[in-house]
């Protein structure tokens, strides 16, 4: 009877080992899947942060231009009022004409400097958006693949566990049969 209990304990220990071995595999696969999902989420968050940064840079550039324009307009109005109060209308008209020429020069300088910079920002932003969409598409496909593969792997692991327990039982029964013939 004691030998029978010892045999049952050994059988249970072997079954626990088989269960824990295959359950560890399953947990490992789940960890890999969860890790992939976390990396994907962090990558997409990084893209969102980068997108926000590009938008802030663009907004700041626009705000700087607006402030410069506003400041120049206020400065000219003040200068024109001062000139008109000191020198009269004729010098004011001359100042306005020179300001119009200056406006043309400033406009061209801005086109030469700011326009390429804005275009570059726009291209970078669009490229980043396209890249983000491509990565998102890849991540969606990977998620779909994981969702399709996960039940197959779980089924395989369950079958492997059952098969290994079956081999163990067959081994145990064959061992008992062989030992009983010698007794």
């Amino acid at each position: 009877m004691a030998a029978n209990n010892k045999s049952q304990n050994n059988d249970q220990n072997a079954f626990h080992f088989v269960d824990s071995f295959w359950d560890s595999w399953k947990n490992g696969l789940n960890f890999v899947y969860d890790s992939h999902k976390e990396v994907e989420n962090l990558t997409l968050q990084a893209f969102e942060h980068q997108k926000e940064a590009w938008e802030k840079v663009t907004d700041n550039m626009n705000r700087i231009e607006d402030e410069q324009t506003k400041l120049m307009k206020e400065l000219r109005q003040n200068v024109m009022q001062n000139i008109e109060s000191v020198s009269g209308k004729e010098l004011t008209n001359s100042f306005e004409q020179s300001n119009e020429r200056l406006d043309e020069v400033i406009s061209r300088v801005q086109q030469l400097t700011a326009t390429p910079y804005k275009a570059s920002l726009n291209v970078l932003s669009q490229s980043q958006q396209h890249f983000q969409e491509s990565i998102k598409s890849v991540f969606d496909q990977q998620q779909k693949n994981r969702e399709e593969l996960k039940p197959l792997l779980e089924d395989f692991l369950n079958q492997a566990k059952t098969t290994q327990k079956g081999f163990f039982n067959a081994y145990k029964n064959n061992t008992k049969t062989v030992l009983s013939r010698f007794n």
Side-chain angles (χ1 to χ4, degrees):
M1 185 106 169
N4 195 18
N5 281 340
K6 185 177 181 183
S7 175
Q8 285 178 343
N9 281 342
N10 286 341
D11 292 350
Q12 287 178 344
N13 288 339
F15 283 135
H16 288 301
F17 174 78
V18 169
D19 285 340
S20 66
F21 176 80
W22 290 110
D23 289 345
S24 293
W25 267 88
K26 183 178 176 181
N27 291 337
L29 286 173
N30 287 335
F31 178 76
V32 169
Y33 287 153
D34 293 342
S35 297
H36 283 189
K37 189 66 180 164
E38 184 64 23
V39 167
E40 290 169 2
N41 288 335
L42 291 172
T43 302
L44 293 176
Q45 285 176 8
F47 278 122
E48 285 303 314
H49 292 306
Q50 189 177 31
K51 180 181 174 184
E52 290 171 9
W54 288 124
E55 289 171 356
K56 285 180 183 178
V57 167
T58 302
D59 289 346
N60 288 339
M61 288 290 295
N62 291 336
R63 205 170 325 148
I64 288 170
E65 274 187 45
D66 292 343
E67 288 296 318
Q68 284 177 334
T69 303
K70 182 180 170 183
L71 182 63
M72 288 297 291
K73 187 176 181 178
E74 288 175 8
L75 182 62
R76 284 187 183 150
Q77 286 175 349
N78 289 337
V79 170
M80 282 180 57
Q81 287 173 354
N82 288 337
I83 290 174
E84 189 174 337
S85 67
V86 173
S87 302
K89 200 77 161 145
E90 190 176 306
L91 196 52
T92 304
N93 289 340
S94 176
F95 180 74
E96 273 188 68
Q97 289 173 353
S98 65
N99 276 333
E100 288 173 8
R101 285 186 227 124
L102 183 61
D103 285 343
E104 286 178 35
V105 170
I106 290 172
S107 175
R108 288 184 185 191
V109 167
Q110 281 182 332
Q111 286 178 345
L112 291 173
T113 57
T115 302
Y117 186 71
K118 284 182 178 180
S120 296
L121 280 175
N122 189 29
V123 167
L124 284 172
S125 179
Q126 288 176 357
S127 296
Q128 187 264 346
Q129 182 65 33
H130 291 302
F131 186 62
Q132 181 178 357
E133 290 169 4
S134 297
I135 292 295
K136 176 82 170 99
S137 176
V138 167
F139 288 169
D140 289 344
Q141 185 61 44
Q142 286 178 344
Q143 178 64 29
K144 182 181 174 188
N145 291 346
R146 282 193 302 267
E147 288 171 0
E148 291 173 357
L149 186 60
K150 188 174 182 177
L152 297 174
L153 286 172
E154 286 177 356
D155 186 47
F156 166 77
L157 292 174
N158 288 334
Q159 287 179 10
K161 186 189 305 186
T162 302
T163 302
Q164 196 167 18
K165 286 180 180 179
F167 284 144
F168 177 76
N169 281 334
Y171 174 77
K172 183 180 91 173
N173 290 336
N174 287 339
T175 303
K176 282 182 183 179
T177 302
V178 167
L179 289 176
S180 70
R181 291 183 183 199
F182 288 110
N183 287 338

